[in-house]
Amino acid sequence: MAKTLFDKVWDAHVVSELKDGPSVLYIDRHLIHEVTSPQAFAGLDKRGLKVFRPDQTLATPDHNVPTVNQHMTIHDLLSRTQVDKLTENTKKHGIRHYGLNHPQQGIVHVIGPEMGFTQPGMTIVCGDSHTSTHGAFGCVAFGIGTSEVEMVLATQCIMQPKPKKMRITVDGKLGKGVTAKDLILYIISKISASGGTGYFIEYAGSAFRSLSMEGRMTVCNMSIEMGARGGLIAPDETTFAYLKDREFAPKDGEWDKKLTYWKTLVSDPEAVFDLELHYDAADIEPMITYGTNPGMGVGVTGRIPDSRELPESNKLTFEKAMQYMNLNQATPMMGKPVDYVFVGSCTNGRIEDLRQFASFVKGKKKADNITAWIVPGSKQVEKQAISEGIDRILTEAGFELRQPGCSACLAMNDDKIPEGKYAVSTSNRNFEGRQGPGARTFLASPLTAAAAAITGKITDPRDFL
Amino acid sequence: MATEKFKTLISTCVPLPIENVDTDQIIPARFLKATTRDGFGDNLFRDWRYDKNNQPKADFVLNNPTYSGQILVAGRNFGSGSSREHAAWAIGGYGFRSVISSFFADIFKNNALNNGILPVQVSEGFLKSVFAAIEKDANAVLEIDLPNQTVTILATGEKEHFDINHYKKTCLINGYDDIDYLLSMKDKIVEFEKKGY
């Protein structure tokens, strides 16, 4: 029977199926960080169990870590305790752990791919909703809760009902200054923050095919922002070239064997999806969000909707968002003054994102009213940025390269946007208080963030290209 | 962790008629730093519930003594956003045993079920009736009958059937959890690993 890419990967990992119930799904790779794992390890200890497959597990602290002075003790006691717990738990259970100051430390969803730990056709889970990032490699990758983290630690399996399947096809060429981030923000604005709930999404079409692996990761990363469990893209030559020679990538004869398998990871031509959507790349411009969920976005030259244009059921949410953001409906986004710019997170903290930002700000100067945090997604990205001279370009333009972590994406460390201030952020969520209590977030691409950092207000980056 | 058994819940409700209530509102990230499952109820809806001086905001429903009960009634797409199970711990820790909405985010739904909290997904129309009943009488009582998969507004007798996965229903009624089941499968898992794919 014809199968979708998702079916092929999922079905290959079903250990058993319960009648009218979930599947027992085998997990190839388990990523762990300090926030959602302590209670899972405590549960394991309570049952007197050891980690079942420590070699298939990888741990790093990311949510809580400071982005300056990482060589010093973390001064927030609670953050330090969580980070220390991760060290203690991974040591006790023999799990590979990249602690602070280790050359491989970084955001879990940045280091997994960067080390080749993430490979096509795998099932990957992590106690973090942005695990969907790894779908860029043709993986079934999704976020889980702490009880499920405990299940994976104990048995390398979880119980999951099989989601429905959606395919989103975008054909055509993205315009100048339009990036992977704009592509996914556009899709979310079209189908809403809940439009993908219950689905796993395959992204297909020439617009996705032409993206780099970094761009594909940005797209898959935000699948969760439309409620989908995950998103995936069939692996191709771009994928294989990215993985070759990375630390955990298969070597020699094993590589060829894997490659033969990886090349089978495509949806069969006759495969049927529960829902198919099509968009045209030419319709997409640089995007910006105006509201308090990622579905509330428009083209940067567009305006905030008029509540009269919205369905009755959306009005309360919209009005609440306008109040929180202190914005007026039906007004343009361009020219809105901004206070902060954040480049980083598992969505846009990769080397290509830093390159995009740096290429834009090169030879220009930061606007006086802007505080900017440029945070690499990993130590490797930081190292690469320095070796490419990106840090110097940033310094000359008035910015500084900080140290890796999740940072202002969710503000569990000190990088909090102050109450009432506006931030253009390359992260994934603009929820109320996400970047700090009372913070107001506009989600955008690194290029649009760069344009705001230079002009001090929401600006169309294309005007400078 | 085995959970408390869930059969029938008869309770008054707390109404929260807002759509897209995300996990950052249910429990803001800065309160995720604990290493146990306890105490999250104190910070449930923290930034909607308290001002920056930690004073209760009078206009938020949890601070309104008119409303109480073990059932939270919320707008469409409840629990979107993060995979943080802390959101379910906060809801359970506060004392809710069920959340009723017309639509739930997937991961939240799983996390709730794994913590003995029943997400009851009802039609938009029924949800409207529930809000109307609470508006009419803040002490309106709902009956959630898990074995029969029904939810009833006792004052009006209006009743709706809800769906739940058979396996999850059995777990909830008996207080079982997935991990016991998975541990009983270990031989099969090892066999699966040997076979490869």
Side-chain angles (χ1 to χ4, degrees), chain A residues 13 16 18 26 28 39 47 53 76 79 82 128-129 145-147 154 198 313 316-317 320 412 419 429 432 434, chain B residues 1 17 19 24-25 32-34 36 48 52 77 81-83 85 106 111 167 177-181 185-186 193 197:
Chain A
H13 289 81
S16 80
L18 282 171
Y26 189 80
D28 294 311
Q39 294 87 348
R47 290 172 195 260
R53 294 290 178 252
D76 179 315
S79 291
Q82 275 197 334
D128 186 287
S129 60
T146 297
S147 295
S313 63
L316 194 63
T317 305
K320 196 169 179 298
M412 279 191 78
E419 187 179 352
R429 289 186 179 147
E432 286 184 27
R434 172 78 177 179
Chain B
M1 184 185 63
E19 293 192 346
D24 276 77
Q25 310 319 313
L32 305 186
K33 298 188 187 192
T36 70
W48 287 355
K52 57 184 167 182
N77 196 28
S82 165
S83 68
E85 195 165 306
D106 273 339
N111 286 341
Y167 167 81
D177 70 7
D178 289 351
I179 200 160
D180 294 324
Y181 179 77
M185 296 277 300
K186 265 205 173 158
E193 285 178 323
Y197 48 84

Tab-separated table of all heavy atoms in Angstrom, chain A residues 13 16 18 26 28 39 47 53 76 79 82 128-129 145-147 154 198 313 316-317 320 412 419 429 432 434, chain B residues 1 17 19 24-25 32-34 36 48 52 77 81-83 85 106 111 167 177-181 185-186 193 197:
chain	number	residue	atom	x	y	z
A	13	HIS	N	8.672	1.904	13.409
A	13	HIS	CA	9.049	2.011	14.822
A	13	HIS	C	7.976	1.506	15.788
A	13	HIS	O	8.100	1.682	16.999
A	13	HIS	CB	9.400	3.468	15.154
A	13	HIS	CG	10.692	3.910	14.543
A	13	HIS	ND1	10.790	4.308	13.227
A	13	HIS	CD2	11.948	3.973	15.044
A	13	HIS	CE1	12.046	4.612	12.960
A	13	HIS	NE2	12.762	4.416	14.045
A	16	SER	N	4.422	-2.518	19.168
A	16	SER	CA	3.134	-3.215	19.203
A	16	SER	C	2.010	-2.193	19.219
A	16	SER	O	2.246	-1.010	19.483
A	16	SER	CB	3.032	-4.142	20.415
A	16	SER	OG	2.698	-3.408	21.559
A	18	LEU	N	-2.034	-1.375	20.519
A	18	LEU	CA	-3.157	-1.767	21.368
A	18	LEU	C	-4.439	-1.584	20.578
A	18	LEU	O	-4.587	-0.598	19.848
A	18	LEU	CB	-3.215	-0.860	22.594
A	18	LEU	CG	-2.224	-1.156	23.695
A	18	LEU	CD1	-2.254	-0.036	24.723
A	18	LEU	CD2	-2.553	-2.474	24.367
A	26	TYR	N	8.897	2.907	19.291
A	26	TYR	CA	10.312	2.847	19.668
A	26	TYR	C	11.004	4.162	19.307
A	26	TYR	O	10.794	4.702	18.229
A	26	TYR	CB	11.020	1.683	18.959
A	26	TYR	CG	12.406	1.470	19.505
A	26	TYR	CD1	12.592	0.784	20.704
A	26	TYR	CD2	13.526	1.975	18.848
A	26	TYR	CE1	13.859	0.609	21.242
A	26	TYR	CE2	14.798	1.802	19.367
A	26	TYR	CZ	14.961	1.115	20.570
A	26	TYR	OH	16.218	0.954	21.094
A	28	ASP	N	14.477	6.301	18.685
A	28	ASP	CA	15.905	6.157	18.361
A	28	ASP	C	16.779	7.118	19.161
A	28	ASP	O	17.869	6.770	19.583
A	28	ASP	CB	16.131	6.438	16.868
A	28	ASP	CG	15.479	5.397	15.984
A	28	ASP	OD1	15.671	4.199	16.252
A	28	ASP	OD2	14.762	5.790	15.041
A	39	GLN	N	12.224	15.651	37.235
A	39	GLN	CA	11.132	14.859	37.805
A	39	GLN	C	11.084	13.464	37.179
A	39	GLN	O	10.651	12.506	37.821
A	39	GLN	CB	9.797	15.585	37.600
A	39	GLN	CG	9.654	16.894	38.371
A	39	GLN	CD	10.204	18.112	37.633
A	39	GLN	OE1	10.898	17.985	36.627
A	39	GLN	NE2	9.912	19.299	38.143
A	47	ARG	N	11.393	4.114	41.301
A	47	ARG	CA	11.083	2.741	40.891
A	47	ARG	C	12.315	1.845	40.904
A	47	ARG	O	12.235	0.664	40.552
A	47	ARG	CB	10.520	2.739	39.469
A	47	ARG	CG	9.147	3.336	39.327
A	47	ARG	CD	8.788	3.450	37.864
A	47	ARG	NE	7.652	4.333	37.651
A	47	ARG	CZ	6.399	3.907	37.458
A	47	ARG	NH1	6.132	2.625	37.433
A	47	ARG	NH2	5.426	4.770	37.285
A	53	ARG	N	18.537	2.701	27.648
A	53	ARG	CA	19.476	2.830	26.518
A	53	ARG	C	20.215	4.169	26.575
A	53	ARG	O	19.951	5.075	25.783
A	53	ARG	CB	18.725	2.717	25.183
A	53	ARG	CG	18.112	1.343	24.929
A	53	ARG	CD	19.185	0.287	24.659
A	53	ARG	NE	18.630	-1.039	24.466
A	53	ARG	CZ	18.727	-2.045	25.350
A	53	ARG	NH1	19.351	-1.838	26.513
A	53	ARG	NH2	18.215	-3.219	25.083
A	76	ASP	N	21.733	32.531	39.796
A	76	ASP	CA	20.362	32.215	40.203
A	76	ASP	C	20.357	30.786	40.773
A	76	ASP	O	20.625	29.813	40.060
A	76	ASP	CB	19.436	32.321	38.976
A	76	ASP	CG	17.986	31.985	39.298
A	76	ASP	OD1	17.713	30.972	39.997
A	76	ASP	OD2	17.115	32.730	38.838
A	79	SER	N	18.127	28.120	39.015
A	79	SER	CA	18.688	27.736	37.715
A	79	SER	C	19.888	26.826	37.912
A	79	SER	O	20.034	25.800	37.238
A	79	SER	CB	19.142	28.975	36.932
A	79	SER	OG	18.029	29.733	36.535
A	82	GLN	N	18.916	23.292	38.879
A	82	GLN	CA	18.451	22.466	37.751
A	82	GLN	C	19.608	21.991	36.886
A	82	GLN	O	19.664	20.838	36.472
A	82	GLN	CB	17.467	23.263	36.883
A	82	GLN	CG	16.045	23.209	37.397
A	82	GLN	CD	15.024	23.639	36.359
A	82	GLN	OE1	15.337	24.400	35.460
A	82	GLN	NE2	13.807	23.159	36.492
A	128	ASP	N	10.475	18.956	25.055
A	128	ASP	CA	10.478	20.331	24.558
A	128	ASP	C	9.708	20.323	23.242
A	128	ASP	O	10.004	19.539	22.348
A	128	ASP	CB	11.922	20.786	24.316
A	128	ASP	CG	11.984	22.257	23.939
A	128	ASP	OD1	11.600	22.596	22.813
A	128	ASP	OD2	12.409	23.060	24.784
A	129	SER	N	8.733	21.223	23.128
A	129	SER	CA	7.838	21.146	21.977
A	129	SER	C	8.556	21.396	20.649
A	129	SER	O	8.092	20.950	19.608
A	129	SER	CB	6.686	22.134	22.145
A	129	SER	OG	7.177	23.439	22.241
A	145	GLY	N	5.939	15.280	27.217
A	145	GLY	CA	5.915	15.746	28.603
A	145	GLY	C	6.874	14.948	29.474
A	145	GLY	O	7.460	13.961	29.021
A	146	THR	N	6.992	15.383	30.714
A	146	THR	CA	7.968	14.754	31.609
A	146	THR	C	7.630	13.294	31.933
A	146	THR	O	8.531	12.466	32.067
A	146	THR	CB	8.092	15.600	32.896
A	146	THR	OG1	8.598	16.882	32.531
A	146	THR	CG2	9.020	14.969	33.902
A	147	SER	N	6.340	12.955	32.052
A	147	SER	CA	5.977	11.545	32.294
A	147	SER	C	6.492	10.683	31.148
A	147	SER	O	6.929	9.552	31.346
A	147	SER	CB	4.461	11.381	32.405
A	147	SER	OG	3.981	12.058	33.534
A	154	ALA	N	13.083	4.839	30.809
A	154	ALA	CA	12.896	3.489	31.370
A	154	ALA	C	12.824	2.400	30.309
A	154	ALA	O	13.260	1.273	30.541
A	154	ALA	CB	11.627	3.459	32.223
A	198	GLY	N	-3.458	17.803	15.804
A	198	GLY	CA	-3.856	16.444	15.445
A	198	GLY	C	-3.108	15.897	14.241
A	198	GLY	O	-3.262	14.738	13.887
A	313	SER	N	-15.800	34.574	16.609
A	313	SER	CA	-15.130	33.780	17.647
A	313	SER	C	-13.707	34.276	17.918
A	313	SER	O	-13.138	33.998	18.969
A	313	SER	CB	-15.106	32.302	17.248
A	313	SER	OG	-14.348	32.164	16.072
A	316	LEU	N	-12.589	38.248	20.710
A	316	LEU	CA	-12.160	38.400	22.099
A	316	LEU	C	-10.642	38.248	22.207
A	316	LEU	O	-9.959	39.072	22.827
A	316	LEU	CB	-12.879	37.370	22.977
A	316	LEU	CG	-12.818	37.597	24.476
A	316	LEU	CD1	-13.507	38.908	24.845
A	316	LEU	CD2	-13.483	36.435	25.216
A	317	THR	N	-10.111	37.196	21.551
A	317	THR	CA	-8.665	36.951	21.551
A	317	THR	C	-7.940	38.138	20.916
A	317	THR	O	-6.920	38.606	21.425
A	317	THR	CB	-8.350	35.668	20.749
A	317	THR	OG1	-9.114	34.610	21.300
A	317	THR	CG2	-6.885	35.321	20.806
A	320	LYS	N	-8.046	41.250	23.165
A	320	LYS	CA	-7.167	41.029	24.322
A	320	LYS	C	-5.709	41.216	23.894
A	320	LYS	O	-4.909	41.817	24.600
A	320	LYS	CB	-7.397	39.599	24.846
A	320	LYS	CG	-6.863	39.355	26.227
A	320	LYS	CD	-7.370	38.014	26.762
A	320	LYS	CE	-6.819	37.745	28.147
A	320	LYS	NZ	-5.352	37.649	28.197
A	412	MET	N	14.094	32.323	30.745
A	412	MET	CA	14.323	31.630	32.023
A	412	MET	C	15.654	32.065	32.628
A	412	MET	O	15.946	31.783	33.779
A	412	MET	CB	14.325	30.116	31.829
A	412	MET	CG	12.928	29.532	31.770
A	412	MET	SD	12.894	27.745	31.854
A	412	MET	CE	13.145	27.448	33.608
A	419	GLU	N	9.025	44.998	31.061
A	419	GLU	CA	7.586	45.215	30.926
A	419	GLU	C	7.276	46.394	30.000
A	419	GLU	O	7.885	47.462	30.123
A	419	GLU	CB	6.991	45.487	32.309
A	419	GLU	CG	5.487	45.543	32.277
A	419	GLU	CD	4.882	45.799	33.653
A	419	GLU	OE1	5.618	45.792	34.659
A	419	GLU	OE2	3.664	46.008	33.693
A	429	ARG	N	7.837	32.260	19.711
A	429	ARG	CA	6.566	32.550	20.386
A	429	ARG	C	6.450	33.994	20.813
A	429	ARG	O	7.399	34.570	21.346
A	429	ARG	CB	6.400	31.645	21.610
A	429	ARG	CG	6.140	30.248	21.162
A	429	ARG	CD	5.821	29.300	22.280
A	429	ARG	NE	5.576	28.018	21.650
A	429	ARG	CZ	5.860	26.834	22.172
A	429	ARG	NH1	6.372	26.768	23.377
A	429	ARG	NH2	5.609	25.741	21.492
A	432	GLU	N	1.868	36.213	25.565
A	432	GLU	CA	1.957	37.207	26.642
A	432	GLU	C	3.045	36.775	27.633
A	432	GLU	O	3.046	35.631	28.083
A	432	GLU	CB	0.633	37.276	27.413
A	432	GLU	CG	-0.492	37.961	26.678
A	432	GLU	CD	-1.746	38.080	27.553
A	432	GLU	OE1	-1.629	38.130	28.790
A	432	GLU	OE2	-2.842	38.120	26.968
A	434	ARG	N	5.998	35.945	27.363
A	434	ARG	CA	6.950	34.913	26.955
A	434	ARG	C	8.395	35.371	27.160
A	434	ARG	O	9.252	34.634	27.625
A	434	ARG	CB	6.712	34.567	25.476
A	434	ARG	CG	7.757	33.653	24.854
A	434	ARG	CD	7.542	32.217	25.255
A	434	ARG	NE	8.509	31.350	24.603
A	434	ARG	CZ	8.553	30.036	24.792
A	434	ARG	NH1	7.702	29.449	25.598
A	434	ARG	NH2	9.445	29.307	24.178
B	1	MET	N	4.072	7.369	37.459
B	1	MET	CA	3.370	7.703	38.701
B	1	MET	C	1.892	7.337	38.559
B	1	MET	O	1.196	7.890	37.722
B	1	MET	CB	3.508	9.205	38.941
B	1	MET	CG	2.922	9.668	40.231
B	1	MET	SD	3.014	11.469	40.364
B	1	MET	CE	1.992	11.998	38.991
B	17	PRO	N	-13.499	32.072	29.608
B	17	PRO	CA	-13.921	32.047	28.204
B	17	PRO	C	-12.937	32.742	27.263
B	17	PRO	O	-13.287	33.654	26.552
B	17	PRO	CB	-15.270	32.775	28.235
B	17	PRO	CG	-15.187	33.659	29.431
B	17	PRO	CD	-14.200	33.087	30.402
B	19	GLU	N	-9.902	32.147	24.227
B	19	GLU	CA	-9.363	31.180	23.272
B	19	GLU	C	-7.844	31.164	23.332
B	19	GLU	O	-7.223	32.117	23.779
B	19	GLU	CB	-9.795	31.556	21.854
B	19	GLU	CG	-11.272	31.421	21.641
B	19	GLU	CD	-11.638	31.516	20.175
B	19	GLU	OE1	-10.803	31.939	19.372
B	19	GLU	OE2	-12.780	31.153	19.860
B	24	ASP	N	2.337	29.221	28.390
B	24	ASP	CA	3.064	30.288	29.073
B	24	ASP	C	2.141	31.079	30.005
B	24	ASP	O	2.613	31.708	30.953
B	24	ASP	CB	3.721	31.247	28.066
B	24	ASP	CG	5.060	30.710	27.590
B	24	ASP	OD1	5.049	29.793	26.748
B	24	ASP	OD2	6.107	31.177	28.075
B	25	GLN	N	0.832	31.078	29.720
B	25	GLN	CA	-0.112	31.714	30.636
B	25	GLN	C	-0.432	30.757	31.789
B	25	GLN	O	-0.558	31.180	32.932
B	25	GLN	CB	-1.416	32.104	29.923
B	25	GLN	CG	-1.225	32.895	28.636
B	25	GLN	CD	-0.134	33.939	28.739
B	25	GLN	OE1	-0.054	34.708	29.693
B	25	GLN	NE2	0.751	33.938	27.755
B	32	LEU	N	9.362	27.408	36.154
B	32	LEU	CA	9.630	26.003	35.806
B	32	LEU	C	10.909	25.494	36.444
B	32	LEU	O	11.430	24.464	36.067
B	32	LEU	CB	9.759	25.847	34.284
B	32	LEU	CG	8.616	26.350	33.405
B	32	LEU	CD1	8.877	25.970	31.955
B	32	LEU	CD2	7.288	25.780	33.856
B	33	LYS	N	11.426	26.245	37.396
B	33	LYS	CA	12.757	25.898	37.894
B	33	LYS	C	12.767	24.874	39.019
B	33	LYS	O	13.833	24.535	39.532
B	33	LYS	CB	13.490	27.173	38.324
B	33	LYS	CG	13.691	28.132	37.150
B	33	LYS	CD	14.576	29.284	37.507
B	33	LYS	CE	14.608	30.293	36.357
B	33	LYS	NZ	15.646	31.296	36.516
B	34	ALA	N	11.602	24.392	39.415
B	34	ALA	CA	11.562	23.399	40.489
B	34	ALA	C	12.036	22.050	39.967
B	34	ALA	O	11.984	21.777	38.770
B	34	ALA	CB	10.145	23.274	41.033
B	36	THR	N	10.865	19.195	41.555
B	36	THR	CA	9.819	18.250	41.938
B	36	THR	C	8.528	18.636	41.216
B	36	THR	O	8.502	19.632	40.504
B	36	THR	CB	9.538	18.294	43.463
B	36	THR	OG1	8.893	19.540	43.749
B	36	THR	CG2	10.820	18.179	44.260
B	48	TRP	N	-1.844	36.432	35.047
B	48	TRP	CA	-3.232	36.887	34.947
B	48	TRP	C	-3.830	37.039	36.361
B	48	TRP	O	-4.768	37.768	36.579
B	48	TRP	CB	-4.075	35.881	34.140
B	48	TRP	CG	-3.789	35.911	32.660
B	48	TRP	CD1	-2.967	36.783	31.989
B	48	TRP	CD2	-4.334	35.040	31.654
B	48	TRP	NE1	-2.965	36.496	30.652
B	48	TRP	CE2	-3.789	35.449	30.411
B	48	TRP	CE3	-5.227	33.959	31.685
B	48	TRP	CZ2	-4.107	34.803	29.206
B	48	TRP	CZ3	-5.541	33.324	30.489
B	48	TRP	CH2	-4.986	33.741	29.264
B	52	LYS	N	2.367	42.858	39.392
B	52	LYS	CA	3.825	42.725	39.586
B	52	LYS	C	4.254	42.872	41.041
B	52	LYS	O	5.372	42.543	41.402
B	52	LYS	CB	4.589	43.671	38.662
B	52	LYS	CG	4.218	45.115	38.811
B	52	LYS	CD	4.949	45.944	37.783
B	52	LYS	CE	4.329	47.326	37.727
B	52	LYS	NZ	4.902	48.210	36.762
B	77	ASN	N	-8.979	25.753	21.835
B	77	ASN	CA	-7.517	25.588	21.728
B	77	ASN	C	-6.811	25.851	23.056
B	77	ASN	O	-5.895	26.669	23.145
B	77	ASN	CB	-6.937	26.482	20.627
B	77	ASN	CG	-5.526	26.067	20.231
B	77	ASN	OD1	-5.165	24.890	20.361
B	77	ASN	ND2	-4.735	26.991	19.761
B	81	GLY	N	1.124	25.557	22.704
B	81	GLY	CA	2.468	26.029	23.009
B	81	GLY	C	3.396	24.932	23.451
B	81	GLY	O	3.609	23.963	22.739
B	82	SER	N	3.912	25.082	24.644
B	82	SER	CA	5.018	24.270	25.127
B	82	SER	C	4.594	22.855	25.500
B	82	SER	O	3.429	22.586	25.764
B	82	SER	CB	5.601	24.975	26.347
B	82	SER	OG	6.429	24.129	27.079
B	83	SER	N	5.587	21.950	25.568
B	83	SER	CA	5.326	20.578	26.019
B	83	SER	C	5.406	20.469	27.537
B	83	SER	O	5.207	19.407	28.097
B	83	SER	CB	6.341	19.622	25.383
B	83	SER	OG	7.625	19.873	25.903
B	85	GLU	N	5.039	19.762	31.046
B	85	GLU	CA	4.017	19.060	31.820
B	85	GLU	C	3.655	19.859	33.071
B	85	GLU	O	2.620	19.634	33.694
B	85	GLU	CB	4.551	17.666	32.195
B	85	GLU	CG	3.496	16.704	32.669
B	85	GLU	CD	3.989	15.256	32.681
B	85	GLU	OE1	4.481	14.792	31.628
B	85	GLU	OE2	3.897	14.612	33.733
B	106	ASP	N	-2.576	19.106	21.460
B	106	ASP	CA	-2.244	17.679	21.610
B	106	ASP	C	-1.385	17.332	22.809
B	106	ASP	O	-1.695	16.423	23.567
B	106	ASP	CB	-1.462	17.212	20.367
B	106	ASP	CG	-2.398	16.760	19.273
B	106	ASP	OD1	-3.546	16.431	19.583
B	106	ASP	OD2	-1.956	16.742	18.105
B	111	ASN	N	-0.390	15.284	28.410
B	111	ASN	CA	0.180	15.569	29.726
B	111	ASN	C	-0.894	15.547	30.805
B	111	ASN	O	-0.674	15.043	31.908
B	111	ASN	CB	0.866	16.941	29.725
B	111	ASN	CG	2.184	16.927	28.972
B	111	ASN	OD1	2.767	15.870	28.753
B	111	ASN	ND2	2.653	18.095	28.575
B	167	TYR	N	-7.974	3.081	25.786
B	167	TYR	CA	-6.849	2.747	26.657
B	167	TYR	C	-6.680	3.797	27.765
B	167	TYR	O	-6.526	3.466	28.939
B	167	TYR	CB	-5.567	2.641	25.816
B	167	TYR	CG	-4.299	2.609	26.625
B	167	TYR	CD1	-3.847	1.426	27.224
B	167	TYR	CD2	-3.541	3.767	26.809
B	167	TYR	CE1	-2.680	1.409	27.974
B	167	TYR	CE2	-2.384	3.755	27.551
B	167	TYR	CZ	-1.956	2.576	28.129
B	167	TYR	OH	-0.807	2.571	28.882
B	177	ASP	N	-0.837	3.877	34.980
B	177	ASP	CA	-0.127	4.763	34.066
B	177	ASP	C	0.633	3.966	33.011
B	177	ASP	O	0.821	2.768	33.122
B	177	ASP	CB	0.744	5.774	34.811
B	177	ASP	CG	1.941	5.148	35.487
B	177	ASP	OD1	2.183	3.943	35.282
B	177	ASP	OD2	2.642	5.864	36.207
B	178	ASP	N	1.037	4.689	31.945
B	178	ASP	CA	1.683	4.053	30.792
B	178	ASP	C	2.963	3.324	31.147
B	178	ASP	O	3.317	2.337	30.527
B	178	ASP	CB	2.059	5.125	29.760
B	178	ASP	CG	0.857	5.697	29.055
B	178	ASP	OD1	-0.243	5.156	29.238
B	178	ASP	OD2	1.028	6.696	28.323
B	179	ILE	N	3.679	3.861	32.108
B	179	ILE	CA	5.013	3.325	32.360
B	179	ILE	C	4.932	1.879	32.874
B	179	ILE	O	5.759	1.045	32.515
B	179	ILE	CB	5.832	4.265	33.277
B	179	ILE	CG1	7.316	3.962	33.140
B	179	ILE	CG2	5.379	4.235	34.681
B	179	ILE	CD1	8.210	5.086	33.603
B	180	ASP	N	3.911	1.581	33.667
B	180	ASP	CA	3.740	0.189	34.133
B	180	ASP	C	3.558	-0.727	32.932
B	180	ASP	O	4.142	-1.798	32.854
B	180	ASP	CB	2.497	0.076	35.034
B	180	ASP	CG	2.668	0.852	36.327
B	180	ASP	OD1	3.791	0.884	36.853
B	180	ASP	OD2	1.671	1.438	36.801
B	181	TYR	N	2.730	-0.267	32.010
B	181	TYR	CA	2.457	-1.072	30.820
B	181	TYR	C	3.736	-1.263	29.996
B	181	TYR	O	4.057	-2.383	29.581
B	181	TYR	CB	1.373	-0.402	29.974
B	181	TYR	CG	1.066	-1.176	28.726
B	181	TYR	CD1	0.278	-2.326	28.780
B	181	TYR	CD2	1.599	-0.785	27.504
B	181	TYR	CE1	0.026	-3.057	27.637
B	181	TYR	CE2	1.350	-1.518	26.362
B	181	TYR	CZ	0.566	-2.653	26.421
B	181	TYR	OH	0.322	-3.384	25.302
B	185	MET	N	6.415	-4.621	28.873
B	185	MET	CA	6.679	-4.932	27.453
B	185	MET	C	8.166	-5.114	27.163
B	185	MET	O	8.553	-5.262	26.010
B	185	MET	CB	6.197	-3.760	26.581
B	185	MET	CG	4.737	-3.474	26.602
B	185	MET	SD	3.867	-4.545	25.485
B	185	MET	CE	4.641	-4.098	23.934
B	186	LYS	N	9.003	-5.051	28.186
B	186	LYS	CA	10.447	-4.957	27.936
B	186	LYS	C	11.001	-6.063	27.030
B	186	LYS	O	11.811	-5.789	26.144
B	186	LYS	CB	11.220	-4.881	29.253
B	186	LYS	CG	11.502	-3.450	29.648
B	186	LYS	CD	12.720	-3.346	30.535
B	186	LYS	CE	13.049	-1.875	30.751
B	186	LYS	NZ	13.843	-1.650	31.962
B	193	GLU	N	14.375	-4.498	19.042
B	193	GLU	CA	15.704	-3.915	18.787
B	193	GLU	C	16.589	-4.889	18.020
B	193	GLU	O	17.321	-4.492	17.114
B	193	GLU	CB	16.384	-3.568	20.111
B	193	GLU	CG	15.828	-2.318	20.774
B	193	GLU	CD	16.485	-2.035	22.111
B	193	GLU	OE1	16.793	-3.004	22.850
B	193	GLU	OE2	16.687	-0.851	22.424
B	197	TYR	N	15.097	-2.579	11.824
B	197	TYR	CA	14.060	-2.149	10.896
B	197	TYR	C	14.692	-1.507	9.694
B	197	TYR	O	15.882	-1.249	9.676
B	197	TYR	CB	13.068	-1.188	11.559
B	197	TYR	CG	13.714	-0.076	12.331
B	197	TYR	CD1	14.144	1.080	11.701
B	197	TYR	CD2	13.943	-0.211	13.697
B	197	TYR	CE1	14.749	2.089	12.389
B	197	TYR	CE2	14.560	0.794	14.401
B	197	TYR	CZ	14.963	1.945	13.751
B	197	TYR	OH	15.577	2.943	14.452
